[in-house]
Amino acid sequence: MVERTEYRIEGATGDWEVVMGLEVHAQVSTAAKLFSGAPTAFGADPNTNVSLVDAAMPGMLPVINRSCVEQAVKTGIGLNAEINLWSRFDRKNYFYPDLPQGYQISQYQFPVVGEGQISVEAEEGYTFVVGIERLHLEQDAGKSIHDLDPNATYVDLNRSGVALMEIVSRPDIRSPAEAAAYVKKLRSILIALGTCDGDMEKGNLRADVNVSVRRPGDELGTRCEIKNVNSFRFIQQAAEYEARRQIEILEGGGKIDQETRLFNATTGETRSMRSKEDAHDYRYFPDPDLLPLEIDAALIDRIRADMPELPDEKRQRFIDSYGLTPYDAGVLASDADKAAYFEAVAEGRDAKLAANWVTQELLGYLNKQDIALADSPISAERLGGLIALIADETISGKIAKQVFAKMIDSDDTAAQIVEREGLKQVTDTGAIAGIIDKVLAENPDQVAQVQAQRAEGHAKPKALGWFVGQIMRASGGKANPQAVNEILAEKLGL
Ligand code: MN
């Protein structure tokens, strides 16, 4: 077991610890909005996916979308959280041009999902647990567009009323890297559940990052919240910048003002947006247009019985049934596409070999070229064919790498390439013996050296390895290495 890394920032006056908690807004995957029948499709013309409810026309009444509630329950189960059979919608009042109602319908005191927890794998190899405080349903706002006209702001209400799950973590995160790892894990769970598509570029998953610093072991410090950070890298950058900013203030004798800040991806800095509001600033009160949300226990049972396999379960299955190392299993199970690709390669074949080739050769190549797995030039079927040739010793692992390189630029199967290029491993002992005889005859000095070393009592004379290299080269890399070793030892009288 790898110990959790103690992340510390060295200040002018000593070490500081970073404490973080995240509020993640995840757009619920549903066809219609939270309280109206308008579609949620992305990329429609401005103000075309807007019902009278979303535009807050007078007299309109919200009607809850059952499928949004089911998705929230499913997510709650996936986060090992308590599902509240009774919850309530409140109005969160504030003014903004892209919020036509003048309030957001959200959940405050009584969220639909209560406490839960997830375990997160850090890049360093350790696992840590992050508590989930709550998950509540709420409406998204519209969008203000400031760059279409120098003198005017446009408002697009397509996003107005789209359902969001706000997932609030406990302040259990202790470094910027852990924050990114947490969102990665959360995202993989949501995608596996099918409750959010996790598309961060479209803003369908975005994080409010709460950061405070303290002397190791001290009470919690005052936190600042960085709004709407929408990439793993930005989450890490924003947190790092913010922690150092706070340390500088504290070491200069100042104090931290609780505030909401914005991250500028271009400069990598955060800047103040507004002083942090408290709950009472929003004048929360129960929405009189909506009855409390009461969930039937049978609905929860039905959803629980129909849960898909989650990343943690998949990882365990990869360890148990394929014999993968926890690390390889984690890499492959963390992403639905990678997991499906691996399973297609491993099906009916040597699974450990399949895992090695997928994680090292294939993903290594794709990462280097910045190609998505979905666009891989080598399909799972073709990579499986290559692995079959290694497993039945038609080719060596070394030759397989050459074949792999050729497969990238061709549609041929591994077997076709091996056949065409004459790369089949030579297992014919007569042929190998012939090559060995030739190499030995050309290098009498080295033969003498091996025998001298042997006479001095070396069990494995160094020069032996040199011979193996020469023989493999003379065979074009095709000689079966095991046969080479055996026949060579025999010929040298070892
Ligand atoms: Mn929110």
Side-chain angles (χ1 to χ4, degrees), residues 163-387:
L164 298 176
M165 298 181 282
E166 180 173 332
I167 301 164
V168 183
S169 88
R170 297 261 174 221
D172 291 341
I173 295 161
R174 290 289 175 275
S175 74
E178 284 189 0
Y182 164 72
V183 178
K184 250 179 222 179
K185 183 63 181 279
L186 185 60
R187 179 173 177 272
S188 73
I189 293 171
L190 298 175
I191 291 173
L193 289 167
T195 56
C196 169
D197 69 10
D199 192 333
M200 299 178 82
E201 266 173 43
K202 287 184 187 152
N204 295 355
L205 187 80
R206 47 196 200 258
D208 298 343
V209 183
N210 288 284
V211 181
S212 67
V213 298
R214 66 180 176 188
R215 294 296 188 188
D218 268 9
E219 301 279 286
L220 286 178
T222 303
R223 69 191 160 91
C224 290
E225 176 181 358
I226 311 156
K227 286 300 266 188
N228 284 336
V229 191
N230 70 343
S231 88
F232 301 126
R233 192 160 57 88
F234 293 163
I235 288 171
Q236 204 161 329
Q237 280 179 359
E240 268 161 27
Y241 176 87
E242 180 58 22
R244 285 177 198 279
R245 185 189 73 86
Q246 293 181 13
I247 290 167
E248 217 165 278
I249 291 173
L250 292 171
E251 291 193 326
K255 70 179 206 21
I256 305 300
D257 294 321
Q258 186 178 333
E259 62 182 359
T260 301
R261 301 179 66 84
L262 281 180
F263 176 65
N264 180 331
T266 314
T267 61
E269 296 173 356
T270 66
R271 67 176 166 81
S272 182
M273 180 186 176
R274 56 174 186 249
S275 69
K276 177 70 188 180
E277 60 290 324
D278 284 313
H280 62 248
D281 295 322
Y282 287 115
R283 293 172 293 122
Y284 277 102
F285 64 88
D287 191 310
D289 289 341
L290 287 159
L291 288 167
L293 177 61
E294 289 188 42
I295 298 173
D296 196 346
L299 174 77
I300 299 175
D301 293 341
R302 182 169 66 68
I303 293 173
R304 202 184 285 281
D306 202 28
M307 290 289 280
E309 184 178 48
L310 293 175
D312 283 350
E313 295 161 349
K314 202 183 280 282
R315 178 168 176 267
Q316 196 56 50
R317 181 167 62 80
F318 283 4
I319 295 170
D320 296 341
S321 50
Y322 293 120
L324 301 194
T325 62
Y327 181 80
D328 278 352
V331 168
L332 293 169
S334 68
D335 178 291
D337 290 343
K338 283 182 197 166
Y341 188 99
F342 160 70
E343 293 209 80
V345 175
E347 181 66 45
R349 303 198 178 95
D350 183 330
K352 280 189 192 173
L353 199 56
N356 282 340
W357 276 81
V358 173
T359 56
Q360 287 164 32
E361 301 302 324
L362 184 82
L363 294 177
Y365 168 77
L366 296 178
N367 285 343
K368 208 149 101 198
Q369 303 292 321
D370 199 19
I371 300 172
L373 181 57
D375 302 324
S376 169
I378 300 180
S379 67
E381 185 52 41
R382 287 210 300 148
L383 187 61
L386 177 64
I387 283 158

Side-chain angles (χ1 to χ4, degrees), residues 23 25 92 104 106 136 138-139 164 166 208 227:
E23 293 162 32
H25 284 92
K92 181 180 183 182
Q104 177 193 34
S106 181
H136 67 253
E138 63 184 25
Q139 300 174 299
L164 298 176
E166 180 173 332
D208 298 343
K227 286 300 266 188

